[in-house]
Amino acid sequence: MPTTTRDRKAWLKGADARCNVPPETRVRPRRLVLLGAPGVGKGTQAELLAGHLGACHLSTGDIFRAAKSADPSELTPALTAAVECMRRGELVPDSTVLDLVAERISCLRCPGGFLLDGFPRTVTQAEALDTLLQKHKLKLDAVLSYELPIEQIVARLSGRRTCVNCKAVFHVEARPPKIPGICDHCGGSLYQREDDRPESIRVRMQAYETSTAPLTEFYRRRKLLVAIPAEGSPEDIFERTLHSLRSGHPAPHGQATV
Ligand code: AMP
């Protein structure tokens, strides 16, 4: 379990920001993408992996949530429109997301590595990420695809709580904080995301089916996909994740080894 607070200032604030506590340089920095429907638990796994691998957890959703809490006069028109999309549970246009990620190239080049959570979300975004990484001579190690039946996903989403400060993710039943409503890591308050309400959940699941599910095929063809069953507790799933990263067993459709 992660015990330290990691600084993600550069990722959340943009091109000019610098992290106060950058991740340590790694001999072999891991560069991973985490895929899975909303609520499958990939944010929690990203947090656990960030603690284990020392890589930074980069979530595009967190950029939009940070923008939502910012002074509206500081937001560009594209970011204001993006926040509205998020409120409705819709995907933000690819061009907006890609501009934001390209501005943050220093995070992708970070010597601590990265764990991309919530990006890419469409094949267009995945192709643009490929191009961006190639341009900077970077390679993805693997794409972890978390898989879970839809009824279990809805149950997870409705109990999810997030820290206002460090963005750590809890669940009221499956991963409760030690003190209800308070983050174990930094003492911040926990809140329920606006887009975890039932009407937004339905829109998000639809967006996932049409736009994001085809990404698994995209990465399978590139032999980067590692499918991970997302049943059980966060610790069980984390064990499975580490096992998949270590084992390197070939999968029927071409599984990555990391
Ligand atoms: P997440 O925290 O990843 O579930 O993202 C929350 C919301 O932010 C999504 O429902 C979208 O509205 C928006 N969003 C985050 N990442 C992306 C992305 N890569 N492409 C389009 N929209 C995104």
Side-chain angles (χ1 to χ4, degrees), residues 10 14-15 17-18 101-111:
R18 292 283 171 272
V101 172
E103 272 172 22
R104 289 159 171 78
I105 183 64
S106 60
C107 289
L108 300 184
R109 298 180 61 186
C110 176

Side-chain angles (χ1 to χ4, degrees), residues 20 26 47 54 98 105 107-108 111 125 136 153 156 165 170 178 203 211 218 222 225 235 237 253:
N20 294 322
R26 298 273 150 169
E47 279 301 311
L98 292 172
I105 183 64
C107 289
L108 300 184
Q125 292 180 17
H136 292 273
I153 289 177
R156 283 197 188 172
N165 290 336
F170 296 83
K178 291 187 188 108
V203 180
S211 304
F218 178 91
R222 283 163 173 70
L225 197 76
E235 290 72 22
I237 305 166
H253 299 291

Side-chain angles (χ1 to χ4, degrees), residues 60-61 64-65 86 90 92 97 118 121 125 193 195 204:
T60 38
F64 298 126
R65 278 183 285 281
M86 187 180 70
E90 294 166 7
V92 171
V97 180
R121 233 181 178 97
Q125 292 180 17
R193 285 166 37 171
D195 58 350
R204 289 165 70 201

